[in-house]
Amino acid sequence: MKVLKFGGTSVGNSDCINSVINIISDYLQKREQIIVVCSAMAGITDELINAARRAAQGDALYKKSFLKIKEKHLSTLSDLIKKSKLNKPRKVVEEKLNELLQILESIHLLKELTPRTLDRVMSFGEYLSCYIISQTLISRKIDCDLLDARNIIKTDEQFGNAKVDFEKTNQLIKEYFSNNKKLQIVTGFIASTNNGETTTLGRGGSDYTASIIGAALDVDEIEIWTDVNGIMTADPRKVQSAFPLKAVTYEEAMEMSHFGAKVIYSPTMLPALQKNIKIRIRNTFNPSFRGTLILPREPNIKFNMKGISSIDNVHMLQVEGSGLIGIEGISARIFNALAKEKVKVLLITQGSSGHTICFAVFPSDSLKAKRAIENELKLEILEKQLKRVEIIEDLSMLAVVGEDLLNTPGVPGMVLSALGQNGINTIAIAQGSSQLNLTIVIKKEELKKALNVLHDALFVT
Ligand code: ADP
Ligand code: ASP
Ligand code: MG
């Protein structure tokens, strides 16, 4: 048995959905057992967020976003299903859209948008795309059910990025699939709390849904179908010479996606890794291509450099002062203060003199981080042992990823000299303790050049 997951661009319009249906039909013809997970149509999750945020600001333009969403689903549905069979599914889609409109109207009225309500709003994307796909399959005589993942994936109440309760979830999945043998079209990304409230698994989370289901059922392989030929040596949108990799380890895939490679959502690797299930990344628009296999590291296979990924926007915070050396437990205090505020720290460096500690965060976290540290260290700042925390903006972060990277002689030197020879200044450097990555912070305006220069130096020569 396999789980096949189709991403937003793979179900982005009726032509794409026809390609997806061809892939599904091929598997069924070969009598392979499959479970299908789908994302919302491309751009829909963003548009739903737009609509909700506009409504919360009291901006009547939320209706424009809503109409865009409505138009896209209704026109896709009527492109896919013959007129004679369109009545019932059209009615269901219209009813769902009305429910969405009512929620948006309440947000507009109250001028309030909680993470809980935003999850509810976002869930319409996956529900509608999966409904349309399942109805299209049925209209073409491929029997299937629409499975709302809220019924099988249970999480905590961390709306927007909920944590899965694997004990309950695995049991529900096993129970459901042992009682339902038809082809299931499962909504990616969405889940629910014990009280039945909608949650989501984090942006890009449909990949994770596929892996959660695959691991619970011990499937043979999880296939992530997307719009590129696999995991590539760099983001093909930024580096033209990027090429697809045959295989990477779970850890490498996690590291690349953690540092910005959107092609697979980082948590996806964990359930698969625990059950040793291979993940394959494949291209919906080039289905005969082998794609990239994500697999455990085998002792005799030599893995080396795999790729370069980047996070386009980061801020650095600098804590500086002569007092840094003398204050006991200062790092622990700083990072505890950040953890309390749920700030995600992307990179840490400490000057060898001990006078500065720098770290990188997402721009949306930087003010919160500055306040948290200044509050924690207010006495030391008052006594001038430390300066106020400085935020450095307009930066990007790139990571060179590969197993045993740092044991490979010359790699860090090659990276730094390639950047230096091309006049690119490195603002901070850190080596991952896992030996898997070398991370560098540079000015944002130099990112594209840096990615290309490094890619040529490491992969093309
Ligand atoms: P889906 O809609 O199928 O989930 P995503 O847009 O989430 O697809 O991910 C696919 C995109 O990831 C590609 O179009 C590509 O631009 C981007 N990407 C970034 N880094 C990489 C990489 N190293 N290899 C492949 N794709 C990458
Ligand atoms: N639709 C969701 C998102 O855009 C989940 C996904 O595409 O994987 O983040
Ligand atoms: Mg994705």
Side-chain angles (χ1 to χ4, degrees):
M1 181 152 50
K2 283 185 181 170
V3 179
L4 275 54
K5 176 262 172 179
F6 295 93
T9 38
S10 300
V11 299
N13 59 39
S14 52
D15 286 341
C16 301
I17 294 178
N18 279 323
S19 307
V20 167
I21 291 181
N22 286 339
I23 294 168
I24 296 176
S25 309
D26 276 354
Y27 274 102
L28 298 177
Q29 254 164 24
K30 285 187 277 177
R31 304 215 163 273
E32 278 203 52
Q33 252 191 308
I34 54 169
I35 295 164
V36 174
V37 174
C38 296
S39 294
M41 296 175 77
I44 290 297
T45 308
D46 285 341
E47 202 58 55
L48 285 162
I49 297 172
N50 254 339
R53 293 212 173 122
R54 280 176 170 169
Q57 285 157 6
D59 180 350
L61 276 179
Y62 78 89
K63 284 193 181 144
K64 208 168 155 192
S65 294
F66 171 77
L67 287 177
K68 229 162 128 182
I69 294 164
K70 179 173 177 178
E71 212 287 314
K72 183 148 182 178
H73 288 102
L74 287 177
S75 67
T76 305
L77 184 74
S78 54
D79 285 349
L80 287 166
I81 298 183
K82 274 197 245 149
K83 239 185 173 166
S84 59
K85 294 183 177 171
L86 198 58
N87 255 351
K88 186 203 131 206
R90 196 183 159 92
K91 222 173 137 208
V92 174
V93 170
E94 278 173 346
E95 274 166 14
K96 266 280 153 198
L97 286 163
N98 267 339
E99 198 183 318
L100 168 65
L101 183 58
Q102 277 170 17
I103 297 174
L104 292 171
E105 281 168 350
S106 327
I107 298 171
H108 188 244
L109 202 70
L110 297 170
K111 296 200 174 42
E112 185 184 74
L113 177 63
T114 59
R116 179 189 310 247
T117 309
L118 185 60
D119 273 358
R120 184 79 201 287
V121 169
M122 287 195 286
S123 71
F124 283 85
E126 268 66 17
Y127 189 90
L128 285 168
S129 70
C130 288
Y131 178 75
I132 291 171
I133 293 163
S134 62
Q135 287 298 310
T136 307
L137 285 163
I138 292 167
S139 77
R140 296 181 193 178
K141 308 237 159 0
I142 300 177
D143 202 11
C144 64
D145 288 326
L146 163 64
L147 169 55
D148 188 327
R150 284 173 285 205
N151 297 327
I152 52 166
I153 300 183
K154 290 290 162 188
T155 68
D156 66 6
E157 296 195 346
Q158 211 179 304
F159 296 96
N161 196 9
K163 298 287 157 284
V164 176
D165 177 340
F166 278 97
E167 213 178 296
K168 280 199 194 117
T169 300
N170 288 344
Q171 196 189 342
L172 284 169
I173 292 174
K174 280 186 205 148
E175 245 169 57
Y176 181 89
F177 282 92
S178 68
N179 294 325
N180 294 278
K181 298 293 177 199
K182 256 191 231 171
L183 169 65
Q184 301 292 317
I185 310 298
V186 193
T187 56
F189 183 49
I190 62 178
S192 72
T193 64
N194 276 335
N195 300 330
E197 282 181 295
T198 300
T199 52
T200 58
L201 302 174
R203 292 303 306 272
S206 296
D207 299 334
Y208 192 29
T209 306
S211 177
I212 294 166
I213 296 174
L217 298 175
D218 252 315
V219 299
D220 303 307
E221 197 168 294
I222 297 159
E223 294 190 342
I224 306 290
W225 289 81
T226 181
D227 62 346
V228 284
N229 273 338
I231 299 187
M232 307 184 64
T233 46
D235 185 345
R237 287 184 211 184
K238 294 185 183 128
V239 178
Q240 258 190 358
S241 51
F243 55 87
L245 295 156
K246 233 179 182 162
V248 300
T249 63
Y250 294 118
E251 290 79 4
E252 286 170 333
M254 240 183 303
E255 205 82 354
M256 283 185 76
S257 59
H258 182 71
F259 285 104
K262 184 171 174 249
V263 61
I264 186 156
Y265 181 48
S266 198
T268 308
M269 265 58 74
L270 291 170
L273 178 157
Q274 278 161 10
K275 290 283 183 80
N276 248 329
I277 301 170
K278 291 185 182 124
I279 304 174
R280 192 185 287 275
I281 314 282
R282 302 191 65 177
N283 189 346
T284 304
F285 309 106
N286 185 14
S288 58
F289 191 74
R290 60 173 159 36
T292 302
L293 208 53
I294 306 177
L295 71 189
R297 182 182 181 143
E298 288 171 29
N300 297 323
I301 296 182
K302 189 172 160 26
F303 285 95
N304 36 43
M305 248 176 308
K306 288 300 157 44
I308 310 169
S309 42
S310 64
I311 301 179
D312 299 6
N313 289 308
V314 302
H315 286 176
M316 289 272 289
L317 274 81
Q318 192 168 310
V319 189
E320 192 183 347
S322 55
L324 262 188
I325 311 176
I327 306 168
E328 207 170 308
I330 184 96
S331 304
R333 282 172 62 196
I334 292 176
F335 294 107
N336 273 338
L338 293 174
K340 242 191 248 161
E341 290 296 321
K342 294 207 161 51
V343 171
K344 189 167 168 186
V345 178
L346 302 166
L347 160 147
I348 305 168
T349 62
Q350 184 159 19
S352 56
S353 67
H355 285 287
T356 54
I357 295 178
C358 288
F359 54 91
V361 298
F362 286 115
S364 54
D365 277 345
S366 64
L367 257 185
K368 193 163 72 171
K370 176 179 158 77
R371 285 196 196 114
I373 297 172
E374 288 185 343
N375 189 36
E376 172 66 35
L377 302 174
K378 53 178 177 270
L379 273 183
E380 287 82 355
I381 293 173
L382 211 65
E383 287 166 7
K384 303 227 178 317
Q385 283 175 291
L386 295 178
K387 294 186 190 162
R388 299 204 59 164
V389 177
E390 204 183 319
I391 300 179
I392 310 166
E393 298 184 1
D394 299 323
L395 302 173
S396 298
M397 198 164 111
L398 54 85
V400 181
V401 174
E403 293 270 1
D404 274 343
L405 181 81
L406 305 172
N407 285 335
T408 312
V411 171
M414 238 152 84
V415 168
L416 295 180
S417 68
L419 293 175
Q421 276 161 15
N422 287 279
I424 298 162
N425 241 340
T426 51
I427 292 165
I429 304 169
Q431 305 195 340
S433 55
S434 58
Q435 298 280 325
L436 273 163
N437 79 71
L438 177 69
T439 314
I440 295 162
V441 177
I442 55 171
K443 281 195 192 135
K444 191 176 163 191
E445 66 208 33
E446 294 182 326
L447 176 65
K448 195 158 180 199
K449 185 174 170 196
L451 284 171
N452 280 281
V453 158
L454 274 186
H455 190 265
D456 283 354
L458 299 175
F459 295 99
V460 179
T461 44

